[in-house]
Amino acid sequence: DTAVSQTPKYLVTQMGNDKSIKCEQNLGHDTMYWYKQDSKKFLKIMFSYNNKELIINETVPNRFSPKSPDKAHLNLHINSLELGDSAVYFCASSQDGEGSPLHFGNGTRLTVT
Amino acid sequence: DAKTTQPPSMDCAEGRAANLPCNHSTISGNEYVYWYRQIHSQGPQYIIHGLKNNETNEMASLIITEDRKSSTLILPHATLRDTAVYYCIVRLYSSASKIIFGSGTRLSIRP
């Protein structure tokens, strides 16, 4: 009954590869987000999607692309991975318009070697 | 940048009340105060939010000063499982606005 689920939990890959992280929410929320938490533990918003429309893009490199096949899913595709992409990536969702809080997944730890 | 300021760390004895302060002196009239916590490597967890009145739920109480420039999160009976990083955030209630996390307060509960 996990509300926001991410897969995989761990991802180890080499520089230059392309990888995807999947996120699904079963809360019926309108908006989904991707956050990046670096080694210093700062949580930074990367994207949010509302009804399949990208509404926030925090100037992340265009190697990162969110893709939302439907309202319940927001996947994160990363091309040409770099060492600096190593971090924990969190997916979240919220029902905006009602001030509802963010509900986070448990993160995907990406390690680029 | 985050619009809030929190002490980097605090500690509290188990069973006592933990009071976590947050300064948000530039908060605007339509912004709410939200609190989240992150336990170890898990995803952040929502705790409570409020506008100007004090709020209480099963997890915590939120005290907001009359001028709304600061607030305090109170965990009434801290347990070891409350050890976490606590984030205070201000955000607009009704928009999909940027929700920016600051550096938070690392709360340690000692036995």
Side-chain angles (χ1 to χ4, degrees), chain A residues 42-79:
Chain A
F42 290 113
L43 266 167
K44 298 180 181 177
I45 189 168
M46 301 176 70
F47 304 103
S48 72
Y49 248 76
N50 186 321
N51 294 325
K52 297 190 176 184
E53 180 182 0
L54 178 66
I55 56 175
I56 299 175
N57 182 332
E58 291 301 308
T59 64
V60 299
N62 57 15
R63 298 182 295 105
F64 291 78
S65 57
K67 288 184 169 53
S68 181
D70 54 59
K71 196 172 92 165
H73 297 84
L74 183 65
N75 303 324
L76 183 64
H77 297 270
I78 316 169
N79 295 326

PDB file of all heavy atoms in Angstrom, chain A residues 42-79:
ATOM      1  N   PHE A  42      21.641  18.315   1.090  1.00  0.00           N
ATOM      2  CA  PHE A  42      20.691  19.344   0.696  1.00  0.00           C
ATOM      3  C   PHE A  42      19.685  18.766  -0.299  1.00  0.00           C
ATOM      4  O   PHE A  42      20.061  18.122  -1.276  1.00  0.00           O
ATOM      5  CB  PHE A  42      21.403  20.536   0.052  1.00  0.00           C
ATOM      6  CG  PHE A  42      22.211  21.335   1.020  1.00  0.00           C
ATOM      7  CD1 PHE A  42      23.582  21.374   0.939  1.00  0.00           C
ATOM      8  CD2 PHE A  42      21.582  22.061   2.026  1.00  0.00           C
ATOM      9  CE1 PHE A  42      24.328  22.103   1.850  1.00  0.00           C
ATOM     10  CE2 PHE A  42      22.314  22.798   2.934  1.00  0.00           C
ATOM     11  CZ  PHE A  42      23.692  22.819   2.842  1.00  0.00           C
ATOM     12  N   LEU A  43      18.410  19.014  -0.024  1.00  0.00           N
ATOM     13  CA  LEU A  43      17.336  18.570  -0.911  1.00  0.00           C
ATOM     14  C   LEU A  43      17.010  19.684  -1.885  1.00  0.00           C
ATOM     15  O   LEU A  43      16.584  20.759  -1.488  1.00  0.00           O
ATOM     16  CB  LEU A  43      16.085  18.252  -0.102  1.00  0.00           C
ATOM     17  CG  LEU A  43      15.861  16.809   0.326  1.00  0.00           C
ATOM     18  CD1 LEU A  43      14.775  16.755   1.373  1.00  0.00           C
ATOM     19  CD2 LEU A  43      15.496  15.926  -0.842  1.00  0.00           C
ATOM     20  N   LYS A  44      17.173  19.419  -3.161  1.00  0.00           N
ATOM     21  CA  LYS A  44      16.916  20.450  -4.175  1.00  0.00           C
ATOM     22  C   LYS A  44      15.876  19.956  -5.160  1.00  0.00           C
ATOM     23  O   LYS A  44      15.976  18.855  -5.686  1.00  0.00           O
ATOM     24  CB  LYS A  44      18.213  20.790  -4.910  1.00  0.00           C
ATOM     25  CG  LYS A  44      19.289  21.366  -4.020  1.00  0.00           C
ATOM     26  CD  LYS A  44      20.541  21.680  -4.808  1.00  0.00           C
ATOM     27  CE  LYS A  44      21.631  22.237  -3.905  1.00  0.00           C
ATOM     28  NZ  LYS A  44      22.891  22.493  -4.638  1.00  0.00           N
ATOM     29  N   ILE A  45      14.886  20.810  -5.414  1.00  0.00           N
ATOM     30  CA  ILE A  45      13.853  20.425  -6.364  1.00  0.00           C
ATOM     31  C   ILE A  45      14.419  20.461  -7.773  1.00  0.00           C
ATOM     32  O   ILE A  45      15.186  21.351  -8.134  1.00  0.00           O
ATOM     33  CB  ILE A  45      12.612  21.324  -6.234  1.00  0.00           C
ATOM     34  CG1 ILE A  45      11.466  20.773  -7.072  1.00  0.00           C
ATOM     35  CG2 ILE A  45      12.934  22.767  -6.595  1.00  0.00           C
ATOM     36  CD1 ILE A  45      10.121  21.414  -6.790  1.00  0.00           C
ATOM     37  N   MET A  46      14.044  19.459  -8.555  1.00  0.00           N
ATOM     38  CA  MET A  46      14.481  19.403  -9.952  1.00  0.00           C
ATOM     39  C   MET A  46      13.318  19.726 -10.889  1.00  0.00           C
ATOM     40  O   MET A  46      13.441  20.544 -11.785  1.00  0.00           O
ATOM     41  CB  MET A  46      15.027  18.019 -10.268  1.00  0.00           C
ATOM     42  CG  MET A  46      16.206  17.592  -9.419  1.00  0.00           C
ATOM     43  SD  MET A  46      16.727  15.931  -9.770  1.00  0.00           S
ATOM     44  CE  MET A  46      17.433  16.128 -11.400  1.00  0.00           C
ATOM     45  N   PHE A  47      12.235  19.035 -10.712  1.00  0.00           N
ATOM     46  CA  PHE A  47      11.083  19.194 -11.603  1.00  0.00           C
ATOM     47  C   PHE A  47       9.797  19.040 -10.815  1.00  0.00           C
ATOM     48  O   PHE A  47       9.771  18.410  -9.769  1.00  0.00           O
ATOM     49  CB  PHE A  47      11.048  18.107 -12.694  1.00  0.00           C
ATOM     50  CG  PHE A  47      12.265  18.010 -13.539  1.00  0.00           C
ATOM     51  CD1 PHE A  47      13.178  16.995 -13.329  1.00  0.00           C
ATOM     52  CD2 PHE A  47      12.486  18.918 -14.558  1.00  0.00           C
ATOM     53  CE1 PHE A  47      14.305  16.884 -14.120  1.00  0.00           C
ATOM     54  CE2 PHE A  47      13.611  18.812 -15.354  1.00  0.00           C
ATOM     55  CZ  PHE A  47      14.532  17.795 -15.134  1.00  0.00           C
ATOM     56  N   SER A  48       8.731  19.584 -11.378  1.00  0.00           N
ATOM     57  CA  SER A  48       7.402  19.164 -10.963  1.00  0.00           C
ATOM     58  C   SER A  48       6.531  19.076 -12.208  1.00  0.00           C
ATOM     59  O   SER A  48       6.754  19.773 -13.191  1.00  0.00           O
ATOM     60  CB  SER A  48       6.789  20.115  -9.949  1.00  0.00           C
ATOM     61  OG  SER A  48       6.413  21.313 -10.565  1.00  0.00           O
ATOM     62  N   TYR A  49       5.568  18.196 -12.158  1.00  0.00           N
ATOM     63  CA  TYR A  49       4.652  17.961 -13.271  1.00  0.00           C
ATOM     64  C   TYR A  49       3.235  18.063 -12.744  1.00  0.00           C
ATOM     65  O   TYR A  49       2.897  17.446 -11.745  1.00  0.00           O
ATOM     66  CB  TYR A  49       4.871  16.564 -13.851  1.00  0.00           C
ATOM     67  CG  TYR A  49       5.444  16.542 -15.241  1.00  0.00           C
ATOM     68  CD1 TYR A  49       6.790  16.812 -15.444  1.00  0.00           C
ATOM     69  CD2 TYR A  49       4.657  16.253 -16.344  1.00  0.00           C
ATOM     70  CE1 TYR A  49       7.349  16.781 -16.702  1.00  0.00           C
ATOM     71  CE2 TYR A  49       5.198  16.219 -17.614  1.00  0.00           C
ATOM     72  CZ  TYR A  49       6.553  16.482 -17.798  1.00  0.00           C
ATOM     73  OH  TYR A  49       7.098  16.455 -19.043  1.00  0.00           O
ATOM     74  N   ASN A  50       2.406  18.821 -13.433  1.00  0.00           N
ATOM     75  CA  ASN A  50       1.013  18.952 -13.054  1.00  0.00           C
ATOM     76  C   ASN A  50       0.183  18.637 -14.276  1.00  0.00           C
ATOM     77  O   ASN A  50       0.246  19.350 -15.271  1.00  0.00           O
ATOM     78  CB  ASN A  50       0.739  20.369 -12.557  1.00  0.00           C
ATOM     79  CG  ASN A  50      -0.660  20.520 -12.014  1.00  0.00           C
ATOM     80  OD1 ASN A  50      -1.608  19.974 -12.555  1.00  0.00           O
ATOM     81  ND2 ASN A  50      -0.793  21.264 -10.942  1.00  0.00           N
ATOM     82  N   ASN A  51      -0.619  17.561 -14.182  1.00  0.00           N
ATOM     83  CA  ASN A  51      -1.482  17.171 -15.297  1.00  0.00           C
ATOM     84  C   ASN A  51      -0.707  17.083 -16.607  1.00  0.00           C
ATOM     85  O   ASN A  51      -1.122  17.616 -17.624  1.00  0.00           O
ATOM     86  CB  ASN A  51      -2.666  18.122 -15.431  1.00  0.00           C
ATOM     87  CG  ASN A  51      -3.587  18.028 -14.247  1.00  0.00           C
ATOM     88  OD1 ASN A  51      -3.773  16.960 -13.673  1.00  0.00           O
ATOM     89  ND2 ASN A  51      -4.150  19.148 -13.861  1.00  0.00           N
ATOM     90  N   LYS A  52       0.439  16.424 -16.524  1.00  0.00           N
ATOM     91  CA  LYS A  52       1.289  16.167 -17.682  1.00  0.00           C
ATOM     92  C   LYS A  52       1.996  17.423 -18.208  1.00  0.00           C
ATOM     93  O   LYS A  52       2.606  17.384 -19.261  1.00  0.00           O
ATOM     94  CB  LYS A  52       0.502  15.518 -18.818  1.00  0.00           C
ATOM     95  CG  LYS A  52      -0.059  14.142 -18.481  1.00  0.00           C
ATOM     96  CD  LYS A  52      -0.599  13.466 -19.718  1.00  0.00           C
ATOM     97  CE  LYS A  52      -1.068  12.066 -19.397  1.00  0.00           C
ATOM     98  NZ  LYS A  52      -1.518  11.344 -20.602  1.00  0.00           N
ATOM     99  N   GLU A  53       1.937  18.477 -17.513  1.00  0.00           N
ATOM    100  CA  GLU A  53       2.620  19.681 -17.951  1.00  0.00           C
ATOM    101  C   GLU A  53       3.757  20.017 -16.998  1.00  0.00           C
ATOM    102  O   GLU A  53       3.563  20.074 -15.799  1.00  0.00           O
ATOM    103  CB  GLU A  53       1.629  20.840 -17.999  1.00  0.00           C
ATOM    104  CG  GLU A  53       2.260  22.145 -18.455  1.00  0.00           C
ATOM    105  CD  GLU A  53       1.272  23.289 -18.441  1.00  0.00           C
ATOM    106  OE1 GLU A  53       0.105  23.051 -18.068  1.00  0.00           O
ATOM    107  OE2 GLU A  53       1.659  24.402 -18.794  1.00  0.00           O
ATOM    108  N   LEU A  54       4.928  20.219 -17.543  1.00  0.00           N
ATOM    109  CA  LEU A  54       6.069  20.610 -16.737  1.00  0.00           C
ATOM    110  C   LEU A  54       5.879  22.044 -16.299  1.00  0.00           C
ATOM    111  O   LEU A  54       5.732  22.945 -17.125  1.00  0.00           O
ATOM    112  CB  LEU A  54       7.361  20.481 -17.540  1.00  0.00           C
ATOM    113  CG  LEU A  54       8.657  20.898 -16.848  1.00  0.00           C
ATOM    114  CD1 LEU A  54       8.953  19.956 -15.691  1.00  0.00           C
ATOM    115  CD2 LEU A  54       9.804  20.922 -17.829  1.00  0.00           C
ATOM    116  N   ILE A  55       5.864  22.277 -15.013  1.00  0.00           N
ATOM    117  CA  ILE A  55       5.626  23.641 -14.557  1.00  0.00           C
ATOM    118  C   ILE A  55       6.812  24.245 -13.818  1.00  0.00           C
ATOM    119  O   ILE A  55       6.865  25.454 -13.633  1.00  0.00           O
ATOM    120  CB  ILE A  55       4.371  23.724 -13.673  1.00  0.00           C
ATOM    121  CG1 ILE A  55       4.446  22.771 -12.474  1.00  0.00           C
ATOM    122  CG2 ILE A  55       3.150  23.433 -14.494  1.00  0.00           C
ATOM    123  CD1 ILE A  55       3.269  22.939 -11.524  1.00  0.00           C
ATOM    124  N   ILE A  56       7.729  23.416 -13.382  1.00  0.00           N
ATOM    125  CA  ILE A  56       8.950  23.920 -12.767  1.00  0.00           C
ATOM    126  C   ILE A  56      10.138  23.140 -13.302  1.00  0.00           C
ATOM    127  O   ILE A  56      10.108  21.935 -13.330  1.00  0.00           O
ATOM    128  CB  ILE A  56       8.938  23.781 -11.234  1.00  0.00           C
ATOM    129  CG1 ILE A  56       7.789  24.564 -10.617  1.00  0.00           C
ATOM    130  CG2 ILE A  56      10.259  24.264 -10.639  1.00  0.00           C
ATOM    131  CD1 ILE A  56       7.646  24.369  -9.125  1.00  0.00           C
ATOM    132  N   ASN A  57      11.143  23.832 -13.734  1.00  0.00           N
ATOM    133  CA  ASN A  57      12.381  23.186 -14.126  1.00  0.00           C
ATOM    134  C   ASN A  57      13.513  23.991 -13.512  1.00  0.00           C
ATOM    135  O   ASN A  57      13.730  25.124 -13.904  1.00  0.00           O
ATOM    136  CB  ASN A  57      12.522  23.159 -15.648  1.00  0.00           C
ATOM    137  CG  ASN A  57      13.768  22.451 -16.112  1.00  0.00           C
ATOM    138  OD1 ASN A  57      14.775  22.422 -15.394  1.00  0.00           O
ATOM    139  ND2 ASN A  57      13.741  21.883 -17.283  1.00  0.00           N
ATOM    140  N   GLU A  58      14.152  23.427 -12.511  1.00  0.00           N
ATOM    141  CA  GLU A  58      15.132  24.184 -11.768  1.00  0.00           C
ATOM    142  C   GLU A  58      16.498  24.179 -12.446  1.00  0.00           C
ATOM    143  O   GLU A  58      17.510  23.888 -11.831  1.00  0.00           O
ATOM    144  CB  GLU A  58      15.242  23.639 -10.338  1.00  0.00           C
ATOM    145  CG  GLU A  58      14.018  23.910  -9.521  1.00  0.00           C
ATOM    146  CD  GLU A  58      13.742  25.401  -9.425  1.00  0.00           C
ATOM    147  OE1 GLU A  58      14.656  26.140  -9.052  1.00  0.00           O
ATOM    148  OE2 GLU A  58      12.608  25.813  -9.728  1.00  0.00           O
ATOM    149  N   THR A  59      16.510  24.539 -13.691  1.00  0.00           N
ATOM    150  CA  THR A  59      17.745  24.695 -14.497  1.00  0.00           C
ATOM    151  C   THR A  59      18.674  23.507 -14.358  1.00  0.00           C
ATOM    152  O   THR A  59      19.904  23.665 -14.312  1.00  0.00           O
ATOM    153  CB  THR A  59      18.479  25.997 -14.118  1.00  0.00           C
ATOM    154  OG1 THR A  59      18.902  25.912 -12.752  1.00  0.00           O
ATOM    155  CG2 THR A  59      17.574  27.190 -14.325  1.00  0.00           C
ATOM    156  N   VAL A  60      18.099  22.336 -14.273  1.00  0.00           N
ATOM    157  CA  VAL A  60      18.952  21.150 -14.256  1.00  0.00           C
ATOM    158  C   VAL A  60      19.462  20.893 -15.670  1.00  0.00           C
ATOM    159  O   VAL A  60      18.862  21.363 -16.642  1.00  0.00           O
ATOM    160  CB  VAL A  60      18.177  19.919 -13.746  1.00  0.00           C
ATOM    161  CG1 VAL A  60      17.682  20.144 -12.335  1.00  0.00           C
ATOM    162  CG2 VAL A  60      17.040  19.561 -14.663  1.00  0.00           C
ATOM    163  N   PRO A  61      20.554  20.190 -15.808  1.00  0.00           N
ATOM    164  CA  PRO A  61      21.071  19.911 -17.155  1.00  0.00           C
ATOM    165  C   PRO A  61      20.044  19.194 -18.007  1.00  0.00           C
ATOM    166  O   PRO A  61      19.226  18.412 -17.501  1.00  0.00           O
ATOM    167  CB  PRO A  61      22.284  19.011 -16.875  1.00  0.00           C
ATOM    168  CG  PRO A  61      22.678  19.301 -15.479  1.00  0.00           C
ATOM    169  CD  PRO A  61      21.419  19.632 -14.748  1.00  0.00           C
ATOM    170  N   ASN A  62      20.070  19.473 -19.290  1.00  0.00           N
ATOM    171  CA  ASN A  62      19.079  18.847 -20.156  1.00  0.00           C
ATOM    172  C   ASN A  62      19.340  17.358 -20.373  1.00  0.00           C
ATOM    173  O   ASN A  62      18.595  16.690 -21.102  1.00  0.00           O
ATOM    174  CB  ASN A  62      18.972  19.574 -21.505  1.00  0.00           C
ATOM    175  CG  ASN A  62      20.300  19.628 -22.229  1.00  0.00           C
ATOM    176  OD1 ASN A  62      21.238  18.918 -21.888  1.00  0.00           O
ATOM    177  ND2 ASN A  62      20.397  20.491 -23.229  1.00  0.00           N
ATOM    178  N   ARG A  63      20.366  16.832 -19.739  1.00  0.00           N
ATOM    179  CA  ARG A  63      20.551  15.384 -19.724  1.00  0.00           C
ATOM    180  C   ARG A  63      19.476  14.710 -18.868  1.00  0.00           C
ATOM    181  O   ARG A  63      19.245  13.504 -18.984  1.00  0.00           O
ATOM    182  CB  ARG A  63      21.932  15.028 -19.152  1.00  0.00           C
ATOM    183  CG  ARG A  63      23.108  15.564 -19.954  1.00  0.00           C
ATOM    184  CD  ARG A  63      24.424  15.134 -19.338  1.00  0.00           C
ATOM    185  NE  ARG A  63      24.654  15.699 -18.008  1.00  0.00           N
ATOM    186  CZ  ARG A  63      24.540  15.021 -16.891  1.00  0.00           C
ATOM    187  NH1 ARG A  63      24.167  13.749 -16.901  1.00  0.00           N
ATOM    188  NH2 ARG A  63      24.773  15.602 -15.719  1.00  0.00           N
ATOM    189  N   PHE A  64      18.860  15.506 -18.029  1.00  0.00           N
ATOM    190  CA  PHE A  64      17.779  15.004 -17.184  1.00  0.00           C
ATOM    191  C   PHE A  64      16.449  15.344 -17.841  1.00  0.00           C
ATOM    192  O   PHE A  64      16.207  16.502 -18.183  1.00  0.00           O
ATOM    193  CB  PHE A  64      17.829  15.647 -15.796  1.00  0.00           C
ATOM    194  CG  PHE A  64      18.991  15.228 -14.964  1.00  0.00           C
ATOM    195  CD1 PHE A  64      20.255  15.772 -15.182  1.00  0.00           C
ATOM    196  CD2 PHE A  64      18.846  14.289 -13.965  1.00  0.00           C
ATOM    197  CE1 PHE A  64      21.341  15.387 -14.414  1.00  0.00           C
ATOM    198  CE2 PHE A  64      19.925  13.900 -13.185  1.00  0.00           C
ATOM    199  CZ  PHE A  64      21.176  14.444 -13.406  1.00  0.00           C
ATOM    200  N   SER A  65      15.599  14.349 -17.983  1.00  0.00           N
ATOM    201  CA  SER A  65      14.295  14.626 -18.578  1.00  0.00           C
ATOM    202  C   SER A  65      13.220  13.831 -17.852  1.00  0.00           C
ATOM    203  O   SER A  65      13.284  12.603 -17.775  1.00  0.00           O
ATOM    204  CB  SER A  65      14.293  14.286 -20.066  1.00  0.00           C
ATOM    205  OG  SER A  65      14.663  12.940 -20.268  1.00  0.00           O
ATOM    206  N   PRO A  66      12.228  14.541 -17.309  1.00  0.00           N
ATOM    207  CA  PRO A  66      11.108  13.851 -16.681  1.00  0.00           C
ATOM    208  C   PRO A  66      10.108  13.437 -17.752  1.00  0.00           C
ATOM    209  O   PRO A  66       9.884  14.170 -18.714  1.00  0.00           O
ATOM    210  CB  PRO A  66      10.522  14.907 -15.765  1.00  0.00           C
ATOM    211  CG  PRO A  66      10.865  16.204 -16.420  1.00  0.00           C
ATOM    212  CD  PRO A  66      12.117  15.996 -17.199  1.00  0.00           C
ATOM    213  N   LYS A  67       9.526  12.282 -17.563  1.00  0.00           N
ATOM    214  CA  LYS A  67       8.514  11.806 -18.509  1.00  0.00           C
ATOM    215  C   LYS A  67       7.337  11.260 -17.724  1.00  0.00           C
ATOM    216  O   LYS A  67       7.500  10.417 -16.848  1.00  0.00           O
ATOM    217  CB  LYS A  67       9.092  10.733 -19.433  1.00  0.00           C
ATOM    218  CG  LYS A  67      10.072  11.279 -20.463  1.00  0.00           C
ATOM    219  CD  LYS A  67      10.544  10.233 -21.424  1.00  0.00           C
ATOM    220  CE  LYS A  67      11.300  10.846 -22.592  1.00  0.00           C
ATOM    221  NZ  LYS A  67      12.392  11.721 -22.179  1.00  0.00           N
ATOM    222  N   SER A  68       6.152  11.738 -18.073  1.00  0.00           N
ATOM    223  CA  SER A  68       4.946  11.362 -17.339  1.00  0.00           C
ATOM    224  C   SER A  68       3.956  10.698 -18.276  1.00  0.00           C
ATOM    225  O   SER A  68       3.233  11.389 -18.993  1.00  0.00           O
ATOM    226  CB  SER A  68       4.313  12.589 -16.687  1.00  0.00           C
ATOM    227  OG  SER A  68       3.155  12.233 -15.961  1.00  0.00           O
ATOM    228  N   PRO A  69       3.901   9.377 -18.305  1.00  0.00           N
ATOM    229  CA  PRO A  69       2.942   8.701 -19.186  1.00  0.00           C
ATOM    230  C   PRO A  69       1.493   8.898 -18.754  1.00  0.00           C
ATOM    231  O   PRO A  69       0.587   8.823 -19.582  1.00  0.00           O
ATOM    232  CB  PRO A  69       3.363   7.226 -19.083  1.00  0.00           C
ATOM    233  CG  PRO A  69       4.101   7.130 -17.783  1.00  0.00           C
ATOM    234  CD  PRO A  69       4.748   8.449 -17.564  1.00  0.00           C
ATOM    235  N   ASP A  70       1.293   9.134 -17.468  1.00  0.00           N
ATOM    236  CA  ASP A  70      -0.048   9.417 -16.960  1.00  0.00           C
ATOM    237  C   ASP A  70       0.095  10.106 -15.617  1.00  0.00           C
ATOM    238  O   ASP A  70       1.206  10.270 -15.104  1.00  0.00           O
ATOM    239  CB  ASP A  70      -0.895   8.138 -16.829  1.00  0.00           C
ATOM    240  CG  ASP A  70      -0.211   7.067 -15.987  1.00  0.00           C
ATOM    241  OD1 ASP A  70       0.081   7.351 -14.810  1.00  0.00           O
ATOM    242  OD2 ASP A  70       0.033   5.978 -16.511  1.00  0.00           O
ATOM    243  N   LYS A  71      -1.036  10.490 -15.044  1.00  0.00           N
ATOM    244  CA  LYS A  71      -1.008  11.303 -13.839  1.00  0.00           C
ATOM    245  C   LYS A  71      -0.349  10.593 -12.658  1.00  0.00           C
ATOM    246  O   LYS A  71       0.138  11.240 -11.736  1.00  0.00           O
ATOM    247  CB  LYS A  71      -2.448  11.696 -13.468  1.00  0.00           C
ATOM    248  CG  LYS A  71      -2.557  12.834 -12.490  1.00  0.00           C
ATOM    249  CD  LYS A  71      -4.012  13.274 -12.340  1.00  0.00           C
ATOM    250  CE  LYS A  71      -4.683  12.547 -11.199  1.00  0.00           C
ATOM    251  NZ  LYS A  71      -5.973  13.199 -10.814  1.00  0.00           N
ATOM    252  N   ALA A  72      -0.343   9.281 -12.678  1.00  0.00           N
ATOM    253  CA  ALA A  72       0.179   8.529 -11.537  1.00  0.00           C
ATOM    254  C   ALA A  72       1.671   8.236 -11.631  1.00  0.00           C
ATOM    255  O   ALA A  72       2.245   7.693 -10.690  1.00  0.00           O
ATOM    256  CB  ALA A  72      -0.592   7.218 -11.389  1.00  0.00           C
ATOM    257  N   HIS A  73       2.287   8.583 -12.736  1.00  0.00           N
ATOM    258  CA  HIS A  73       3.686   8.237 -12.949  1.00  0.00           C
ATOM    259  C   HIS A  73       4.500   9.443 -13.395  1.00  0.00           C
ATOM    260  O   HIS A  73       4.046  10.240 -14.216  1.00  0.00           O
ATOM    261  CB  HIS A  73       3.825   7.143 -14.021  1.00  0.00           C
ATOM    262  CG  HIS A  73       3.191   5.844 -13.649  1.00  0.00           C
ATOM    263  ND1 HIS A  73       1.842   5.599 -13.838  1.00  0.00           N
ATOM    264  CD2 HIS A  73       3.711   4.730 -13.078  1.00  0.00           C
ATOM    265  CE1 HIS A  73       1.569   4.379 -13.417  1.00  0.00           C
ATOM    266  NE2 HIS A  73       2.667   3.825 -12.955  1.00  0.00           N
ATOM    267  N   LEU A  74       5.703   9.554 -12.828  1.00  0.00           N
ATOM    268  CA  LEU A  74       6.672  10.547 -13.300  1.00  0.00           C
ATOM    269  C   LEU A  74       8.046   9.893 -13.236  1.00  0.00           C
ATOM    270  O   LEU A  74       8.611   9.721 -12.164  1.00  0.00           O
ATOM    271  CB  LEU A  74       6.652  11.818 -12.452  1.00  0.00           C
ATOM    272  CG  LEU A  74       7.596  12.921 -12.943  1.00  0.00           C
ATOM    273  CD1 LEU A  74       7.141  13.427 -14.310  1.00  0.00           C
ATOM    274  CD2 LEU A  74       7.664  14.074 -11.956  1.00  0.00           C
ATOM    275  N   ASN A  75       8.536   9.513 -14.407  1.00  0.00           N
ATOM    276  CA  ASN A  75       9.827   8.850 -14.483  1.00  0.00           C
ATOM    277  C   ASN A  75      10.920   9.866 -14.780  1.00  0.00           C
ATOM    278  O   ASN A  75      10.669  10.905 -15.397  1.00  0.00           O
ATOM    279  CB  ASN A  75       9.793   7.762 -15.559  1.00  0.00           C
ATOM    280  CG  ASN A  75       8.691   6.749 -15.300  1.00  0.00           C
ATOM    281  OD1 ASN A  75       8.394   6.411 -14.164  1.00  0.00           O
ATOM    282  ND2 ASN A  75       8.057   6.274 -16.373  1.00  0.00           N
ATOM    283  N   LEU A  76      12.117   9.553 -14.336  1.00  0.00           N
ATOM    284  CA  LEU A  76      13.258  10.438 -14.547  1.00  0.00           C
ATOM    285  C   LEU A  76      14.284   9.719 -15.421  1.00  0.00           C
ATOM    286  O   LEU A  76      14.785   8.665 -15.051  1.00  0.00           O
ATOM    287  CB  LEU A  76      13.881  10.819 -13.206  1.00  0.00           C
ATOM    288  CG  LEU A  76      15.048  11.803 -13.256  1.00  0.00           C
ATOM    289  CD1 LEU A  76      14.589  13.158 -13.789  1.00  0.00           C
ATOM    290  CD2 LEU A  76      15.670  11.964 -11.869  1.00  0.00           C
ATOM    291  N   HIS A  77      14.543  10.303 -16.587  1.00  0.00           N
ATOM    292  CA  HIS A  77      15.537   9.736 -17.495  1.00  0.00           C
ATOM    293  C   HIS A  77      16.796  10.580 -17.424  1.00  0.00           C
ATOM    294  O   HIS A  77      16.716  11.823 -17.453  1.00  0.00           O
ATOM    295  CB  HIS A  77      14.993   9.714 -18.926  1.00  0.00           C
ATOM    296  CG  HIS A  77      13.799   8.838 -19.086  1.00  0.00           C
ATOM    297  ND1 HIS A  77      13.889   7.507 -19.421  1.00  0.00           N
ATOM    298  CD2 HIS A  77      12.488   9.104 -18.942  1.00  0.00           C
ATOM    299  CE1 HIS A  77      12.669   6.997 -19.478  1.00  0.00           C
ATOM    300  NE2 HIS A  77      11.791   7.940 -19.198  1.00  0.00           N
ATOM    301  N   ILE A  78      17.915   9.912 -17.355  1.00  0.00           N
ATOM    302  CA  ILE A  78      19.189  10.613 -17.287  1.00  0.00           C
ATOM    303  C   ILE A  78      20.100  10.068 -18.386  1.00  0.00           C
ATOM    304  O   ILE A  78      20.372   8.866 -18.432  1.00  0.00           O
ATOM    305  CB  ILE A  78      19.883  10.442 -15.919  1.00  0.00           C
ATOM    306  CG1 ILE A  78      18.879  10.619 -14.779  1.00  0.00           C
ATOM    307  CG2 ILE A  78      21.021  11.432 -15.787  1.00  0.00           C
ATOM    308  CD1 ILE A  78      19.419  10.217 -13.431  1.00  0.00           C
ATOM    309  N   ASN A  79      20.552  10.956 -19.249  1.00  0.00           N
ATOM    310  CA  ASN A  79      21.459  10.563 -20.334  1.00  0.00           C
ATOM    311  C   ASN A  79      22.889  10.939 -19.983  1.00  0.00           C
ATOM    312  O   ASN A  79      23.145  11.894 -19.241  1.00  0.00           O
ATOM    313  CB  ASN A  79      21.057  11.265 -21.635  1.00  0.00           C
ATOM    314  CG  ASN A  79      19.694  10.821 -22.125  1.00  0.00           C
ATOM    315  OD1 ASN A  79      19.302   9.669 -21.960  1.00  0.00           O
ATOM    316  ND2 ASN A  79      18.955  11.748 -22.728  1.00  0.00           N
TER     317      ASN A  79
END
